[in-house]
Structure formats: structure tokens, C-alpha cells
């Protein structure tokens, strides 16, 4: 285990105030829109008013004539496309020849005042040649022309994938029971409180500098270099602390690139802050997913075969969508033993803001389906659903049917903890009409096993500078979204070096001031940055121990209380600052580096790159609800949640991540919807966002939040820093299905889609099937399935019907790197 | 669809003499501006945040003449002669306000973006009712959206600050219970 240490911890596990708390409670923390520069110009984007059209002409003359306007830009200024994934470089900073959703940016105005820019942007005239609007995935499958993009898997299908990990139809044919279900998970958005903002300027260091509210400064750096034609070495991206992200700030965005170009053209600093309505158009949120599941079990309930088909509404651009598609199938196997597994996933383009990664990225939807599906299977078999999860939990160290290596698993203790805390055994199915308990469990990644663009370099790097004063500066490219990654960095360095956490100064989120960290997404930062930090700190420790001159064997040298001392005789030692001075005198300036790259994954088939992680976290939740049958209103009485954290670095912050996940999940489960409607014909009939405002996009407010009891399972993970796993995303996952299962316990109806609104509960109560939800899955022309035998059926991690990829690294590299 | 050009707001200047965090300020601003814009852009007090500028999120809350207001909905022309308190006014010299101490200790600030508005709204509540119950705290903060915390640690922090203000010992942050175990080793 990295950073294993027999001594009690100085910092880890302690409820310390986070290192960046002071700025947050005084208002001194500067977010992107809090930066201003002398001579700064303001940028506004003119956005499409139609969902799908060719751009016939753009008239910018009236805008240019406005006093104070310094520049107007259009798609012609941005001929080079970009996108987060190498396989879907399908965005232009301003639309080049067509618009793909209401809100797609078409032109940009730079002016001396924000108000002038806004007025002038409204004067830009665009002549559109309308194209058929594709409003839903079903329409996208039915209407191949016009194509929203001229790439993808045919028509308006962006990506379609098919895998057979063993012969599922044969497994179902011999199963004791086969259950078939359809589920729908509505899209929703991050709604981070901070609106995206960017400030770009030509720095005195001859660098084009972009200050932006981004979770992924490294990817913005790459995209800006590509689109703007500026050498990456002359671009600096600064990600100040963000006012929340949740995945909504992980793509490189058009407004960042336009601001940078405008700064290059005008030679002045250029600032843009999006309105809340524009943030709804940026989106990249949860994909709406339709699911079809078929599962066969034996008499004991063990899963002999599981099949899932998913249909994703991708919106107008690729974003992370190819990865999202794989993620709707990849993690089905990491919780329970599944003998054979069949997955089909299809993402379509539609004329709506692009979907992408939101907390849980592609996995909350199938997790909702699977956990409700299991509840139904248990009901049919007369099994207790909590006990089923214990009996069928994957064993530690398993290799799954789809070749994921799972190491430590805290699933069973999670289930046992919420069962005990909630009084499950005494109360499930016994609360009486109108009141119910539901359970669900889940798993999530601690970072993706592969980088977004193919390379052999570390996923995270940390550099330490030890000062003679005893202060240590830690440099890392990681972005502080609000989750506490700066605190993780400081805590780990302080723990290894035995110093006060406030003696570690962190410098993060700046591509010019720290080694690359790929970004704050995939729950990767604690594990990956953390391992890099521990490695760098251990190297610093080695140098200090070597130079300390205590005249004792190295293994007896201990670090603690800001001292370096003899573990056998703690009085004998020197201060940490003195140790740094001795090391500096002996070997020169004391700086060390550490880096981290995940272990190689065992799967080798095409598509095996999505799903592997150095570690998986586990969660379980029990939810108690009261359902009012006359109105369909669901009131959440209490949530018990347990999370397998490996090791809690700071229990206050961990509790905040768990409760924040529960909160966000309840919003998705009960009310949040990124939904669309058509305007009436007299108003153009355009497909528009139904509620692009915080008032109408319903989310939980203070009075809606139930009591939450949080339990942590500590089972240190050998691949994690001091055993730590992620906590930012995993605890969201069990909540929506636990809620749906609780509604069933209360009123014996199934609402097989989220959000579970009062209307749907009422409809289910009035339905003869006692159910509300989809009941069919459209015909999709799936590609030929890759046939990958599971490990226990003699497989080697390759598909038997494609060339062995393990033996052809050059092909693999060429594919991943293809723009 | 034809776009209707915005009507140009008045470019008349406004002389705005008012009190901010106890200090007299006297400045000339664009008369169309909101109090939020004056605070952030003309006075450089960027502690007050914006999340919607439509009065929906609560991030821009300030206290104006003793009333809790959303500064994005207050026109600068309403402000001459009045007295505003922003998050920057909570701290007395280097000393943090008990609310600030407790928000820091109880994990009530995650990203910190809603925090200034939360703090100001909580101060407004505790100034009136230092014995506010958890229910009263939730009610008073019901106009403040937080997307990070799930609110519970914010309630804890306001309760703890109330205790401090009443001269009672502040409780330690509430921690999750920790169990040890693995799936195989149960």
C-alpha cells in the first residue's frame, strides 16, 4: 500500500478545517468571474434561435456599427474543430455552416462594456435554412436524414456498441426465472451555482492566458492550442477554484476559445460570464437513457445471465458521449456475481444541448434500472432484497465477466450497515400502507484506467518544493472544484512529512505552475493525485532522513510534530526546518516529484478501455418514504447511507461529499428534469428548453432535505493513497433506485422512471398494471457483437471475432489517437 | 424569428452615497446598475456572488437597512442614503464572525460559492433570533440554493454559531460513524 505507516496518523482521519476554508467563508476566494483587468473588454455570444438549420448568411454590419464594439467574430474565425474526445472533434467555437440546437453559438461581439456587447449581439442577423428537427432518440433512429453530424455510426446514430460476454440467450433459456424490464432515466443538469466564466489575455510572459472555471485545465490547454494555432508552450490555462462543477465544467467550451481568440485579435483582456440561461445550453449533463433489461436467475436468485440495452439521447454534439455510452454498460458487473453478460448501447444525436458527464457519468441510469430490477426479482422469488445483495456480492479480487479487475470491495459491510441502522429486518414490508423502505447498492470508479487521449505519460504529477523555513509548497495541475482536492493534497504531504497541514502551501489548477493532472472528473483526483503526492513526499522524506545527521539507522528516523527524530528516542531529533536546511546544505535545493499511472487492465477487446479503474468504491442506501395516495406526493423521511471509502482523509469533508451526493440524487429522483418542448407554431415551433432558469428547474431547497445518517466503511485499498478511495460520485448511485423501491414498499406500485413525480405515482396507482414507465425499446441496428468469453469460460480478455489487440499495439495506438 | 433589439437603458449617471459594511462610500455609477453590480464592479467587493441575476438562487443576498435582500433585484437608484452589509462586513478586523468559524469547522462551505449569501442570510436570522431552531434555520435559508452540501452541514454550522453567540460552547463537527470491514472478511 502506498504510504502505509504503522504509526497513528497526524492528519489523516482528523476533522480538520480544510486548508482553503478561510477564503470561502470570508468571500476572499476568487472565482473566475471575480477577476478583472485594466482595459478589459466584454464578450457576448449570439446564439441560435432555431434547433437545426444551415446558416445561409450572417449580417454583422449593424452590430459592428454600435459605438464601443471592438470586434465581431463568426464561425469563419474558427475553422478548426475541437471536442473533448479524440474520436468526436465535432464542435466549432462558433458554428461554421449549421446550427444544431437552440442556444448553439453563432457569432460573438467584443465591446468596451458588457451591456454594449449584449445590445450589439442582438443586432446580428442570421439567415437560416431550416432542417428537420430531431427531437428524441426514437426520432433519430427513424429519421436518418438530415444527419446532425456527418460522422458516427450511420444516420443520426452517434455510437452503437455490442458485446457478448458469454452466451446470455442460452443462460436465460436454462434459467429458473427470467425477468424483463424497461426503465427510463430522464436527463438532468449540474446546476453548479457558479455560472461559467472566462478571462483571456496576452500575458507579459508572452503567453496567451485563459482564466476559466474549468475542471480540466489540461484539456482546455490542448483544445485552445489546436483551435487557435498557438503553440501549447505559449498558452497558460488557469483554473481558479470553481463554484461547483459536478461534471459540467469538464469539456473545453466554445466561450473559452472565443474569449482567447478575441484577446488575440484585440490585444486586450477579454472577459465573458455566461448567464444562467446560457449555462443550461452548455449543459453536458446526464444523458436521458431508455433501458431494456432481461435477467435470468437460478432458484437461489444467483444471476446466470444479464442483458441490458441502452438508448442515449446525446444532444447535438459528441462531448464525452462515446465514453458515456460504454459507461451505461461497463459497471453493471462490479457489484454482484453475473455469470454471463450481454450489453448493447446506442447514443443518438438530437437537436438539444449536448449531454455529457454528470456525477456518476453514464452509470446512475443503468444502476437505477438494475437495482429496481433486482428488487422485482427478489419479490418474485420471495427473497429479502438486502440479504440477496449480501449473498450475491462479488468477492474481493474478482475478475468480472467483462474483464474488470476488482480489488477491495466494501459492498457487504455497506449493506449490513444500512440494514442495521435503518431497522430494515424489523420494518421492511411491515410499515403499513403509505410508508415504505427501499434498499439499493452500487459501485463507482476511482478514476479511469486510461487517459482520454492515448499516451504513456502519468495521469497525475505532484512537485514539492521544501523551503528552509519548514514550509512546503505542493504544485499540481489538479482543479479544485469545491470537493476539497487542495485539502487532499495538503493533508497527504503533511502526513508523510509529519508537519502541520497549514505548513503545506498548495498551488493547483495552473498549467504553467504544476505538473499535469488530467482533471477533476471520474473521481480520479484523490487516488491519482494522492498517490503522486505520497510518492513525492516520500522522496522528500528520504532526502531529509539521509541528511538529518542523527547518527542512527535510516529506518529509525521518524517524522512528526514538525520534527525529524529517533523513533526509539523521540527526544533526540531536530526541527523539520533544520532537516530541510541540512538537506539543502548537503545536496542542494530540496525539490521532489511524484507521479501516478494506473495499472494495466486485463481486458483487451475493443471497448475494454472504459470501465477499468485502480479501485472501485461501494455504497448502499436505505430510504424511508411516506407516499400520499391522494396526491402522489413522495416525502423522503430519512436516508441511511454507507460508503466504502477505503480510508477517510478528512471525515468532515467526506460526510459533505456523501450528503451532497444524496442531495443531488434526490433531486434527480424526485424533480430535476432537463426537458424540452416545442414552441407553438405561431412562435416558430422550435424545440426549446422547457425550464432554462433556476426557479423553474426544480431542485431540492433547504426544506426538502431529509435527515441523512452517513456511515463510512474503512477497508484500506492497496491502490489508494493510505488506502483512500473516492467519495464524490459513488454515494449518488444507490439513492434513486432505493427511493423507487421504497415507493413500491409504501404503495405497491412501480414507477420505473425518474424523476418519480406525483403525476407518475398517481398514474401508477390508477393503472391496472400498478406501474408507470416505458414498455418497449425501439429497434436498433446493432453492430456485430464482439464475443468475449468471460474469464471462467476460457477467455483471455480478447474478443474471439476481432484481431487480437494485445498483439497489435500499433493498431490500438492509431485508433485512439485518430482525431 | 425576428430578434427584438433591447431598448438601450438610460446612460444617465447616478450619484450614490451610501454606507457599505459601516464605511461611507460616495461614488458615481451607471444608473441602470443593480446593487450587486455596484458592489462587485464599482466597489470591487466580489465576495457577493451571482448565480442567476434573476432573484432565484440567493447567492447575492446582502443586508440592506436591516432587511435581507437579493442584491441582483435591488436597483442602485434605490440605495442612496442606505446601509448595506455584505460578507466582507462579517469579520471584525482579523477575527472571524462565529458563523464564519462554524462554517469553516463544520464543512458548511464546499465550493464556497453560495457561502457568502448563506452567511449573510444566517447572520440576518441570528441577529433577530439567536435561539433559532434547526427548523427555523432551514426556513430562513430556504431562498438560498446550495448544490454541494445537501444543506445539513450548513444547518449544523448555523446551530453551532447560535450557541457561540449565546455564550455556550460550540459543538464539534458531527462525524459519520466508521465501520471496518470488507466483503470477503465479514
Amino acid at each position: 500500500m502506498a504510504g502505509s505507516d504503522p504509526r497513528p496518523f497526524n492528519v489523516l482521519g482528523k476533522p480538520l478545517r480544510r486548508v482553503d476554508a478561510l477564503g470561502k467563508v470570508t468571500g476572499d476566494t476568487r472565482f473566475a468571474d471575480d477577476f478583472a483587468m485594466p482595459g478589459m473588454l466584454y464578450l457576448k455570444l449570439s446564439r441560435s434561435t432555431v434547433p437545426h438549420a444551415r446558416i445561409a448568411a450572417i449580417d454583422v454590419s449593424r452590430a459592428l456599427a454600435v459605438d464601443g464594439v471592438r470586434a465581431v467574430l463568426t464561425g469563419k474565425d474558427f475553422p478548426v474543430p475541437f471536442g473533448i474526445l479524440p474520436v468526436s472533434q465535432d464542435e466549432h467555437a462558433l458554428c461554421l455552416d449549421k446550427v444544431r440546437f437552440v442556444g448553439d453559438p453563432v457569432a460573438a461581439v467584443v465591446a468596451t462594456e458588457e451591456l454594449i456587447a449584449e445590445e450589439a449581439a442582438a443586432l446580428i442577423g442570421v439567415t437560416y435554412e431550416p432542417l428537420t428537427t430531431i427531437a428524441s432518440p426514437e426520432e433519430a433512429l427513424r429519421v436518418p436524414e438530415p444527419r446532425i453530424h456527418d460522422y458516427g455510426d450511420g444516420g443520426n446514430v452517434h455510437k452503437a456498441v455490442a458485446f457478448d460476454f458469454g452466451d446470455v440467450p442460452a443462460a436465460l433459456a436454462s434459467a429458473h426465472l427470467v425477468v424483463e424490464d424497461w426503465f427510463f432515466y430522464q436527463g438532468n443538469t449540474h446546476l453548479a451555482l457558479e455560472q461559467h466564466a472566462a478571462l483571456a489575455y496576452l500575458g507579459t510572459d508572452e503567453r496567451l492566458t485563459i482564466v476559466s472555471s474549468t475542471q480540466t485545465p489540461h484539456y482546455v490547454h490542448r483544445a485552445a492550442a489546436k483551435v487557435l494555432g498557438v503553440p501549447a508552450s505559449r498558452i497558460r490555462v488557469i483554473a481558479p477554484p470553481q463554484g461547483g462543477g459536478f461534471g459540467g465544467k469538464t469539456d473545453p467550451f466554445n466561450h473559452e476559445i472565443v474569449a482567447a481568440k478575441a484577446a488575440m485579435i484585440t490585444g486586450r483582456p477579454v472577459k465573458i460570464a455566461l448567464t444562467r440561461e446560457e449555462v443550461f445550453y452548455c449543459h453536458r449533463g446526464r444523458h436521458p437513457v431508455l433501458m431494456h433489461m432481461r435477467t435470468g436467475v437460478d432458484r437461489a436468485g444467483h444471476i446466470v445471465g444479464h442483458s441490458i440495452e441502452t438508448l442515449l439521447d446525446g444532444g447535438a454534439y459528441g462531448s464525452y458521449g462515446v465514453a458515456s455510452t460504454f459507461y451505461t454498460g461497463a459497471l453493471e458487473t462490479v457489484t454482484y456475481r453475473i455469470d454471463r453478460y450481454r450489453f448493447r448501447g446506442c447514443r443518438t444525436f438530437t437537436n438539444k444541448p449536448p449531454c455529457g458527464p454528470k456525477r456518476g457519468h453514464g452509470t446512475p441510469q443503468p444502476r437505477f434500472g438494475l437495482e429496481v430490477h433486482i428488487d422485482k426479482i427478489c419479490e418474485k422469488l420471495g427473497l429479502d432484497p438486502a440479504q440477496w445483495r449480501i449473498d450475491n456480492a462479488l468477492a474481493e479480487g474478482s475478475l468480472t465477466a467483462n474483464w474488470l479487475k476488482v480489488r477491495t470491495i466494501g459492498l457487504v459491510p455497506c449493506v449490513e450497515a444500512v440494514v442495521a441502522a435503518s431497522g430494515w429486518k424489523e420494518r421492511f414490508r411491515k410499515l403499513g400502507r403509505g410508508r415504505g423502505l427501499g434498499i439499493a447498492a452500487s459501485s463507482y470508479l476511482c478514476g479511469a484506467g486510461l487517459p482520454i487521449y492515448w499516451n504513456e505519460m502519468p495521469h497525475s504529477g505532484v512537485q514539492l518544493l521544501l523551503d528552509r523555513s519548514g514550509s512546503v509548497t505542493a504544485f499540481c495541475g489538479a482543479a479544485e472544484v469545491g470537493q476539497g482536492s487542495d485539502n487532499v493534497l495538503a493533508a497527504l504531504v503533511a502526513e508523510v512529512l509529519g508537519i502541520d497541514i497549514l505548513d503545506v502551501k498548495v498551488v493547483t489548477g495552473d498549467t504553467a505552475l504544476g505538473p499535469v493532472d488530467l482533471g477533476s472528473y471520474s473521481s480520479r483526483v484523490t487516488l491519482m493525485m494522492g498517490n503522486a503526492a505520497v510518492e513525492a513526499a516520500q522522496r522528500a522524506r528520504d532526502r531529509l532522513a539521509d541528511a538529518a545527521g542523527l547518527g542512527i539507522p535510516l529506518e529509525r528516523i521518524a517524522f512528526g510534530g514538525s520534527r525529524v527524530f529517533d523513533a526509539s528516542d523521540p527526544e533526540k531529533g531536530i526541527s523539520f526546518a533544520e532537516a530541510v536546511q541540512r538537506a539543502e546544505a548537503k545536496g542542494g535545493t530540496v525539490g521532489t516529484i511524484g507521479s501516478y499511472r494506473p495499472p494495466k487492465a486485463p481486458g483487451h477487446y475493443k471497448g475494454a478501455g472504459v470501465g477499468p479503474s485502480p479501485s472501485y468504491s461501494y455504497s448502499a442506501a436505505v430510504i424511508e418514504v411516506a407516499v400520499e395516495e391522494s396526491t402522489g406526493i413522495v416525502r423522503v423521511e430519512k436516508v441511511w447511507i454507507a460508503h466504502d471509502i477505503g480510508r477517510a482523509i478528512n471525515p468532515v469533508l467526506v460526510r459533505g461529499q456523501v450528503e451532497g451526493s444524496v442531495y443531488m440524487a434526490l433531486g434527480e429522483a424526485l424533480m430535476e428534469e432537463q426537458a424540452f418542448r416545442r414552441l407553438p407554431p405561431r412562435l416558430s415551433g422550435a424545440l426549446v428548453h422547457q425550464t432554462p432558469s433556476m426557479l423553474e428547474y426544480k431542485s431540492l431547497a433547504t426544506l426538502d432535505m431529509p435527515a441523512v445518517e452517513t456511515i463510512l466503511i474503512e477497508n484500506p485499498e492497496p491502490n489508494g493513497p493510505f488506502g483512500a478511495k473516492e467519495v464524490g460520485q459513488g454515494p449518488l448511485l444507490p439513492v434513486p433506485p432505493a427511493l423507487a423501491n421504497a415507493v413500491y414498499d409504501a404503495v405497491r406500485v412501480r414507477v420505473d422512471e425518474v424523476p418519480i413525480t406525483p403525476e407518475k405515482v398517481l398514474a401508477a396507482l390508477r393503472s391496472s398494471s400498478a406501474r408507470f414507465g416505458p414498455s418497449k425499446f425501439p429497434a436498433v441496428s446493432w453492430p456485430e457483437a464482439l464475443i468475449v468469453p468471460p474469464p471462467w469460460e476460457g477467455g483471455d480478455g480478447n474478443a474471439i471475432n476481432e484481431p487480437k489487440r494485445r498483439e497489435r499495439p500499433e493498431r490500438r495506438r492509431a485508433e485512439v489517437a485518430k482525431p | 424569428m425576428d430578434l427584438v433589439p433591447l431598448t438601450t437603458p438610460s446612460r444617465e449617471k447616478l450619484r450614490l452615497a451610501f454606507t457599505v459594511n459601516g464605511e461611507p462610500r460616495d461614488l458615481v455609477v451607471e444608473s441602470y446598475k443593480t446593487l450587486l453590480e455596484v458592489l462587485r464592479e464599482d466597489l470591487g467587493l466580489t465576495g457577493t456572488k451571482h448565480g442567476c441575476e434573476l432573484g432565484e438562487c440567493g447567492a447575492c443576498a446582502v443586508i440592506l437597512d436591516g432587511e435581507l435582500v437579493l442584491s441582483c433585484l435591488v436597483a442602485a437608484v434605490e440605495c442612496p442614503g442606505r446601509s448595506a452589509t455584505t460578507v466582507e462586513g462579517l469579520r471584525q478586523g482579523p477575527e472571524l464572525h462565529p458563523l464564519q468559524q462554524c462554517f469553516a469547522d463544520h464543512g458548511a462551505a464546499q465550493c464556497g460559492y453560495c457561502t457568502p449569501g448563506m452567511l449573510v442570510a444566517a447572520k440576518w436570522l441570528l441577529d433577530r433570533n439567536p435561539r433559532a431552531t434547526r427548523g427555523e434555520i432551514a426556513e430562513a435559508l430556504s431562498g438560498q440554493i446550495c448544490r454541494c452540501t445537501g444543506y445539513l452541514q450548513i444547518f449544523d454550522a448555523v446551530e453551532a454559531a447560535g450557541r457561540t453567540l449565546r455564550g455556550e460552547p460550540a459543538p464539534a463537527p458531527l462525524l459519520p460513524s466508521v465501520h471496518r470491514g470488507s466483503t470477503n472478511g465479514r
Side-chain angles (χ1 to χ4, degrees):
Chain A
M1 183 193 315
S4 65
D5 194 314
R7 292 178 305 119
F9 296 121
N10 293 311
V11 176
L12 301 190
K14 303 256 187 316
L16 300 175
R17 191 181 274 194
R18 56 191 283 174
V19 293
D20 50 358
L22 188 63
K24 291 173 190 293
V25 300
T26 54
D28 292 343
T29 296
R30 295 181 87 199
F31 299 90
D33 194 34
D34 297 336
F35 289 82
M37 293 180 76
M40 188 170 80
L41 299 173
Y42 295 85
L43 172 68
K44 277 282 174 188
L45 300 178
S46 169
R47 294 177 181 272
S48 173
T49 54
V50 297
H52 197 194
R54 293 207 169 282
I55 299 171
I58 303 179
D59 178 4
V60 301
S61 58
R62 289 169 70 205
L64 274 171
V66 175
D67 260 359
V69 169
R70 302 306 310 271
V72 176
L73 296 90
T74 65
K76 290 194 187 69
D77 297 301
F78 301 95
V80 180
F82 68 97
I84 183 66
L85 299 186
V87 293
S88 38
Q89 300 281 299
D90 61 0
E91 298 184 55
H92 289 266
L94 295 170
C95 294
L96 197 55
D97 50 2
K98 63 187 276 190
V99 293
R100 295 178 172 88
F101 68 96
V102 170
D104 219 357
V106 176
V109 178
V110 187
T112 51
E113 293 179 23
E114 190 174 23
L115 196 66
I116 293 172
E118 188 176 341
E119 285 169 24
L123 297 175
I124 288 172
V126 185
T127 310
Y128 293 111
E129 289 168 3
L131 297 166
T132 306
T133 300
I134 310 291
S136 67
E138 289 81 2
E139 271 183 43
L141 292 172
R142 215 165 47 233
V143 185
E145 298 283 341
R147 295 183 78 184
I148 293 173
H149 287 282
D150 57 8
Y151 80 103
D153 285 345
N156 283 305
V157 172
H158 177 204
K159 185 73 187 173
V161 298
F163 298 96
D164 286 329
F165 303 99
D167 188 344
V168 170
L172 298 189
S174 62
H176 166 65
L177 170 72
V178 176
V179 175
E180 182 168 26
D181 270 311
W182 294 265
F183 299 99
F184 178 64
Y185 201 107
Q186 177 59 294
N188 49 62
T189 202
H190 320 83
L191 205 76
L193 207 58
E194 178 203 27
Q195 298 143 297
H196 303 53
L199 167 65
Y201 58 92
L202 299 169
T204 51
D205 57 359
E206 303 279 339
R207 276 168 179 75
L208 172 64
T209 303
I210 305 170
V211 180
S212 184
S213 37
T214 177
Q215 300 175 238
T216 53
H218 176 61
Y219 296 140
V220 173
H221 191 184
R222 287 171 54 85
K226 182 189 179 205
V227 176
L228 300 170
V230 176
S233 61
R234 294 301 176 87
I235 296 178
R236 175 184 183 189
V237 178
I238 299 172
Q242 290 112 71
F246 317 111
K249 294 166 181 165
T250 47
D251 286 58
F253 280 106
N254 44 55
H255 64 267
E256 294 164 328
I257 291 168
V258 177
K261 180 79 177 181
M264 290 167 66
I265 291 172
T266 61
R268 303 261 295 270
V270 175
K271 165 91 159 278
I272 182 167
L274 300 188
T275 65
R276 177 53 61 183
E277 183 181 354
E278 289 180 294
V279 175
F280 278 96
Y281 299 145
C282 278
H283 190 48
R284 322 285 161 149
R286 185 85 69 226
H287 283 77
V289 180
L290 179 67
M291 292 160 269
H292 176 213
M293 289 186 183
R294 292 185 77 212
T295 300
V297 294
D298 65 18
R299 278 175 200 285
H302 166 68
I303 296 175
V304 296
H306 174 57
S307 164
I308 176 172
E309 295 171 334
T310 63
L311 180 62
L312 292 78
D313 185 346
Y317 291 98
S319 182
Y320 284 79
V322 170
S324 317
T325 307
F326 282 110
Y327 274 131
T328 62
L331 301 193
E332 287 285 276
T333 55
V334 297
T335 40
Y336 314 117
R337 284 178 288 119
I338 294 176
D339 293 348
R340 291 174 178 180
Y341 177 48
R342 175 183 180 275
F343 167 49
R344 305 284 185 271
C346 174
R347 182 182 195 257
T348 63
F349 288 122
T350 55
N351 294 118
K352 298 190 272 196
C355 297
K358 184 189 173 196
R359 209 171 199 168
H361 192 191
T363 72
Q365 302 97 323
R367 179 55 58 183
F368 169 75
L370 181 62
E371 296 294 314
V372 175
H373 192 57
I374 286 167
D375 210 58
K376 295 184 188 185
I377 291 170
C378 290
E379 175 89 357
K380 285 197 164 73
L381 293 175
L383 299 175
D384 177 89
Q387 191 59 44
W388 184 94
R389 286 169 170 83
I390 291 168
D391 293 341
N392 287 278
L394 207 60
E396 291 204 329
S398 291
L399 199 52
T400 67
N402 58 340
W403 291 86
L404 300 178
K405 177 72 180 171
V406 185
R407 294 167 183 89
T408 57
I409 299 183
L411 176 60
V412 168
C414 281
V415 173
E416 288 174 340
V418 292
V419 161
S422 65
W424 174 268
K425 286 174 183 160
E426 302 76 44
R427 303 202 304 139
F428 175 62
R429 294 282 189 267
K430 294 175 192 135
L431 289 178
R433 188 88 185 163
R435 231 173 152 94
L437 281 184
I439 192 167
S442 62
S443 176
Y444 198 64
L445 313 163
C446 300
L450 288 181
I452 275 174
Y453 65 98
W454 179 252
N455 70 81
E456 300 273 1
M457 293 177 280
H459 291 214
S460 190
V462 168
Q463 193 162 11
L464 297 182
L465 174 64
L466 279 69
D467 185 77
R468 296 171 191 187
S469 65
S471 165
V472 176
T473 309
F475 301 88
C476 179
E480 172 58 68
V481 194
Q483 82 281 44
S485 57
D486 279 2
N487 196 74
V488 168
L489 179 55
L492 292 171
V493 171
E495 184 63 50
V496 174
L497 295 179
I499 57 179
D500 190 297
I501 191 170
L502 290 177
D503 284 337
V504 182
K505 161 80 183 162
V506 298
V507 177
T508 55
D510 187 329
T511 61
L513 293 184
V516 166
D517 174 276
L518 293 178
S520 291
Y521 64 93
S522 282
S523 271
R524 51 174 298 291
V525 180
T526 292
L527 189 138
M528 298 198 188
M529 176 193 73
N531 279 326
V534 168
E535 184 176 82
Q538 283 176 336
R539 286 173 175 168
R541 199 176 147 133
D542 289 347
R543 271 204 62 186
L544 266 50
D546 174 59
L550 297 182
I552 53 172
L554 284 183
E555 58 272 16
R556 261 174 51 201
I557 296 184
F559 287 67
S562 296
R563 288 178 72 246
V564 179
F565 57 92
D566 183 348
S568 318
D569 179 11
E571 294 300 310
K572 184 178 165 192
I574 55 176
S575 72
F576 179 78
E578 176 70 21
V580 175
Q581 290 158 19
R582 290 185 186 185
E584 199 174 338
K586 183 174 182 187
T589 302
V590 187
T592 60
I593 53 167
S595 56
Y596 181 76
R597 192 163 178 245
K600 296 262 186 255
H604 300 287
Y605 57 91
K606 184 177 183 181
V610 180
S613 176
S615 172
Y616 299 83
S617 73
Y618 288 82
S619 309
V622 168
I623 296 185
E624 181 169 350
V625 298
V627 181
E628 192 175 82
E629 288 190 71
S630 57
T631 61
I633 290 173
V634 176
R635 194 175 69 234
V636 179
E637 300 288 343
K638 185 156 184 184
V639 177
W640 294 266
I641 184 156
H643 182 70
D644 162 29
I645 184 80
R647 182 186 305 286
I649 291 173
N650 182 318
V652 177
L653 271 64
V654 167
R655 182 189 151 202
Q657 288 301 311
V658 174
E659 289 177 356
S661 294
V662 169
Y663 152 83
M664 194 162 277
L666 289 174
E668 297 192 10
L670 291 168
M671 60 187 79
E672 294 188 33
E673 286 188 81
Q674 171 100 341
F676 296 81
R677 67 186 174 107
R678 281 184 188 276
L679 291 174
R682 66 183 169 81
L683 291 176
S684 83
L687 183 72
V688 296
H689 196 294
Q690 200 161 290
T691 54
S693 82
M694 285 187 112
L695 186 64
E696 296 163 295
Y697 179 91
K698 298 297 180 197
S699 62
L700 267 68
T702 54
L703 296 170
D704 305 313
M705 188 65 193
V708 177
E709 184 176 333
T710 300
I711 301 156
L712 301 180
I713 307 301
E714 285 203 337
N715 173 29
E717 159 65 49
N719 278 346
F722 288 96
K725 296 186 182 187
E726 73 90 32
V727 63
Q729 307 192 58
L732 178 144
L733 291 154
V735 172
L739 183 88
N741 293 338
V743 168
Y744 178 75
D745 189 40
V747 289
R748 296 294 192 276
V749 297
R750 290 286 178 186
V751 179
D752 286 338
E753 67 169 67
V754 296
I756 300 172
T757 59
E759 294 89 332
K760 291 174 192 172
V761 174
L762 275 186
L765 284 165
R766 288 166 188 167
S767 151
S768 58
S769 63
R771 175 179 181 270
F772 184 92
S775 52
K776 60 178 190 292
F777 191 91
V780 175
S781 50
W782 301 110
E784 183 193 339
L786 285 186
I787 299 168
V788 185
W792 44 86
E793 292 186 14
D796 64 357
N798 288 284
I800 59 176
N801 55 343
E802 67 168 346
K804 284 204 176 191
R805 294 163 56 84
R806 183 190 292 174
E807 293 161 12
R808 303 188 55 186
E810 76 291 345
R811 178 181 158 230
R812 177 192 181 107
R813 215 163 275 164
E815 269 170 14
V816 182
K818 191 167 58 189
Chain B
M1 185 175 162
D2 287 322
L3 286 169
V4 183
L6 297 173
T7 50
T8 307
S10 164
R11 287 310 178 101
E12 215 173 287
K13 303 289 183 196
L14 169 76
R15 169 91 181 267
L16 175 57
F18 69 143
T19 303
V20 179
N21 299 328
E23 295 173 352
R25 310 301 296 244
D26 189 354
L27 60 164
V28 174
V29 301
E30 303 278 359
S31 59
Y32 65 80
K33 282 194 169 177
T34 63
L35 174 58
L36 171 70
E37 290 167 322
V38 170
L39 290 170
R40 287 179 55 83
E41 296 167 10
D42 295 273
L43 291 170
L45 294 172
T46 54
T48 302
K49 302 302 177 200
H50 58 81
C52 67
E53 298 186 71
L54 293 167
E56 297 169 354
C57 73
C60 67
V62 301
I63 297 171
L64 191 62
D65 286 345
E67 285 308 312
L68 186 66
V69 299
L70 298 174
S71 62
C72 75
L73 297 184
V74 175
V77 295
E78 300 174 77
C79 293
R82 301 178 76 177
S83 176
T85 303
T86 71
V87 68
E88 288 93 346
L90 261 61
R91 182 145 72 157
Q92 300 298 319
E95 286 297 306
L96 294 180
H97 187 280
L99 274 165
Q100 293 173 307
Q101 298 276 10
C102 293
F103 266 58
D105 288 334
H106 288 258
Q110 271 185 35
C111 82
Y113 200 84
C114 76
T115 307
M118 284 284 179
L119 284 166
V120 167
K123 176 182 176 356
W124 179 84
L125 170 69
L126 294 184
D127 283 351
R128 256 147 211 74
N129 180 9
R131 300 195 171 272
T133 62
R134 203 168 174 92
E136 288 166 337
I137 293 165
E139 183 80 39
L141 299 181
S142 61
Q144 314 295 125
I145 302 279
C146 168
R147 287 293 278 175
C148 294
T149 61
Y151 302 111
L152 303 177
Q153 287 177 314
I154 294 175
F155 300 161
D156 290 356
V158 179
E159 281 184 324
R163 293 226 174 116
T164 309
L165 288 166
R166 301 197 297 267
E168 300 164 22
L174 185 65
L175 303 179
S177 55
V178 177
H179 300 194
R180 318 221 175 247
S182 71
T183 287
N184 291 3
R186 68 194 158 98

